[in-house]
Amino acid sequence: MTKKIIIFLTSLIFLTGAFLNAQTSKTLVVYFSWSGNTRVAAENARRLAGADIFEITVKNPYPSDYRQCVDQARDEQRRNFLPELNNGRVNNLSQYDNIIVAFPNWWGTYPQAVKKFLIDNSDISSKKIVLLCTHGGSRLGRSVSDLRALYPNANILEGLAISGGSVRSSENDIRNWLTKIGIL
């Protein structure tokens, strides 16, 4: 009987500690959205996690025409061009434990605007980083390996890829994912 009580109390202490850690950790959702799909996913993650949110915007907006936009995105990747951002730095980044980076998959990875943000905020490498990607079939592509190349020692948790066509009905998927990785 005593052994069962010790196991029960140990489990209770562990679960209480995990719960308190989840309740006191601070999360920031950083996102870049071209069509609005990623904004929807980012807002769902923000609401579910009780997180703060930060939108990455570029000085020179991408073309509204899809074909022109993807051509420009491909050209930026080929040249490793980093667009100028309107808002490249997060104030008080030190207050956050978790950073959710949300983006559309452009040519197999995150857009160059997101890469520029990640480079400009290199102090996020000490945080738990998770990728939330919207896509048209490529899922996360090589975005995780590209992030590891930028931050080889970062604590990168399992990401989530959501098809652009199912973003508006993805709240349960996002909730389950946030729970699985310990943010909820």
Side-chain angles (χ1 to χ4, degrees):
M1 184 68 160
T2 306
K3 188 175 181 179
K4 287 182 181 180
I5 292 173
I6 291 172
I7 290 171
F8 171 76
L9 291 175
T10 303
S11 298
L12 185 61
I13 290 168
F14 173 77
L15 292 173
T16 302
F19 175 77
L20 289 174
N21 183 48
Q23 297 303 307
T24 59
S25 68
K26 189 88 167 141
T27 300
L28 175 66
V29 176
V30 174
Y31 78 95
F32 173 80
S33 185
W34 174 75
S35 70
N37 281 338
T38 303
R39 178 178 288 111
V40 170
E43 284 291 343
N44 280 335
R46 179 207 55 80
R47 189 180 69 263
L48 290 166
D52 293 333
I53 196 159
F54 181 91
E55 182 180 11
I56 301 167
T57 60
V58 293
K59 288 228 186 237
N60 298 311
Y62 288 91
S64 58
D65 178 78
Y66 176 76
R67 188 79 247 148
Q68 291 174 355
C69 181
V70 295
D71 288 346
Q72 180 176 331
R74 182 179 50 216
D75 182 59
E76 286 179 356
Q77 279 191 20
R78 285 182 181 159
R79 295 185 300 121
N80 198 26
F81 174 80
L82 299 173
E84 191 174 350
L85 304 179
N86 287 321
N87 53 349
R89 301 272 311 151
V90 174
N91 295 329
N92 301 321
L93 193 57
S94 62
Q95 71 179 319
Y96 299 103
D97 301 309
N98 310 306
I99 309 293
I100 299 171
V101 181
F103 59 92
N105 182 324
W106 284 2
W107 296 102
T109 191
Y110 40 75
Q112 291 294 100
V114 173
K115 183 177 182 179
K116 171 73 169 146
F117 173 86
L118 292 168
I119 290 169
D120 289 351
N121 292 273
S122 61
D123 42 345
I124 71 169
S125 66
S126 64
K127 314 292 182 187
K128 291 178 184 171
I129 305 171
V130 293
L131 300 179
L132 174 57
C133 166
T134 59
H135 67 92
S138 302
R139 306 199 48 82
L140 286 165
R142 66 178 186 282
S143 59
V144 174
S145 60
D146 287 350
L147 184 61
R148 286 198 195 285
L150 279 179
Y151 303 137
N153 298 315
N155 184 6
I156 301 169
L157 304 179
E158 178 183 340
L160 177 66
I162 301 170
S163 169
S166 63
V167 166
R168 301 214 184 283
S169 62
S170 65
E171 185 174 331
N172 283 336
D173 293 334
I174 293 172
R175 179 184 294 108
N176 292 339
W177 167 65
L178 292 173
T179 301
K180 180 180 179 180
I181 62 174
I183 290 181
L184 287 187

